[in-house]
Amino acid sequence: MTAVLEARGVTKTFAGITALSSVSLEVQPGERVGLIGPNGAGKTTFFNCLLGVLAPDRGTVLLEGDDVSDLPVHVRSRRGIGRTFQRIELFGESTVREHLLIAERVRRGDGSLWRDLLGRGRPRADELEACDEVLELLGLARLADEPIEHLSLGQGRLVEVGRALMTRPKLLLLDEPSSGLDRRETADLAATLRTVQDEQGFAILLVEHDVELVSSFTERSYVLDFGSLIAEGPTHEVLASAAVREAYLGPEVDAP
């Protein structure tokens, strides 16, 4: 089976400092894969290399077997990579539906977005239908006409997921989706993501500090530390490894 995502030997340096050192990773269709590591491990840099926000110094990114390493961000998005952000990137005065509508028009790339920004474009019936389908799937239909500023943080996270789903992703990159959420909100978000993934069949690559969420949500995981992979495999085995515990907690010190 061809991997939906395959990164081969991705390396990135900044001013002589190695942020990523020959990192390789793959995600199969329909999988939920974790990417974890302490602060400064290189997780966000790796995400940005996958998306095309950063160009790696060396390495290759393949999407369903096709080399997308030289493609810009918007083309990779249209080829099937969706993303959410650690810090919510939403517009306070726009409604929930408007966020999804803009994402739909960006996906189509037919110029409707610019007409909309100029106040000359009205949503077509098929655009509204696509938005409402995702809103219903995420349980946001009743909030469709609410401004983003009226939503809770957990609801805002779902709007970000909805915006990513409008791109019809084959792979959804989730960057710290539990950031700022309490345990109940995190559990609700994870349950919604499972339901939507079962419905649509995309794969998920999750960057997350919440080890409990990674443990309960992902099937396999990779661990970065100082830009290098130090562990990979089934999530429960990875989280139990001594190397991973040391990366998070530091080397064990003998009691006095």
Side-chain angles (χ1 to χ4, degrees):
M1 182 182 296
T2 302
V4 66
L5 171 72
E6 186 177 359
R8 298 176 180 170
V10 174
T11 298
K12 183 66 180 177
T13 60
F14 297 99
I17 298 173
T18 301
L20 295 171
S21 178
S22 194
V23 176
S24 296
L25 170 154
E26 70 174 42
V27 181
Q28 295 294 330
E31 267 197 310
R32 291 194 296 269
V33 176
L35 178 62
I36 63 174
N39 288 332
K43 303 184 297 297
T44 297
T45 299
F46 184 68
F47 251 33
N48 286 334
C49 288
L50 295 180
L51 287 159
V53 176
L54 292 174
D57 301 317
R58 293 190 303 277
T60 305
V61 177
L62 300 142
L63 185 65
E64 293 188 318
D66 294 330
D67 189 346
V68 298
S69 305
D70 295 326
L71 298 181
V73 176
H74 70 279
V75 176
R76 296 190 201 197
S77 175
R78 289 174 186 160
R79 293 283 294 270
I81 300 179
R83 182 199 181 157
T84 68
F85 295 84
Q86 181 178 356
R87 294 184 178 181
I88 289 185
E89 303 281 345
L90 301 173
F91 307 104
E93 296 182 359
S94 298
T95 67
V96 173
R97 184 183 279 113
E98 286 169 345
H99 276 78
L100 271 60
L101 179 61
I102 290 173
E104 172 67 4
R105 291 186 167 179
V106 169
R107 181 189 71 83
R108 290 170 183 253
D110 60 3
S112 297
L113 173 62
W114 302 111
R115 291 196 298 273
D116 189 56
L117 293 176
L118 292 170
R120 299 175 182 172
R122 292 185 178 181
R124 300 195 302 261
D126 59 333
E127 292 174 330
L128 291 173
E129 183 179 353
C131 292
D132 289 347
E133 181 181 337
V134 171
L135 290 170
E136 189 68 37
L137 193 59
L138 293 172
L140 293 172
R142 63 185 177 84
L143 300 172
D145 297 316
E146 287 290 329
I148 290 296
E149 59 194 7
H150 292 174
L151 271 57
S152 69
L153 180 59
Q155 291 166 337
R157 291 285 182 200
L158 285 177
V159 173
E160 275 213 319
V161 171
R163 188 169 58 183
L165 292 180
M166 295 304 297
T167 67
R168 312 291 196 273
K170 300 167 185 173
L171 172 70
L172 181 59
L173 304 180
L174 299 174
D175 192 355
E176 302 279 0
S178 75
S179 180
L181 304 185
D182 61 29
R183 282 194 171 188
R184 183 183 61 79
E185 290 173 322
T186 298
D188 289 345
L189 176 63
T192 300
L193 285 168
R194 286 191 191 93
T195 299
V196 174
Q197 186 188 27
D198 288 344
E199 175 92 12
Q200 298 198 350
F202 52 82
I204 291 175
L205 179 59
L206 169 73
V207 164
E208 184 55 66
H209 275 98
D210 186 334
V211 175
E212 184 177 334
L213 174 59
V214 174
S215 177
S216 63
F217 187 72
T218 65
E219 299 136 351
R220 292 192 303 114
S221 288
Y222 294 81
V223 185
L224 277 174
D225 190 28
F226 293 107
S228 296
L229 279 177
I230 61 171
E232 62 180 275
T235 297
H236 67 282
E237 293 180 9
V238 165
L239 294 178
S241 76
V244 174
R245 290 199 304 272
E246 182 172 324
Y248 273 97
L249 303 175
E252 294 183 7
V253 178
D254 292 336

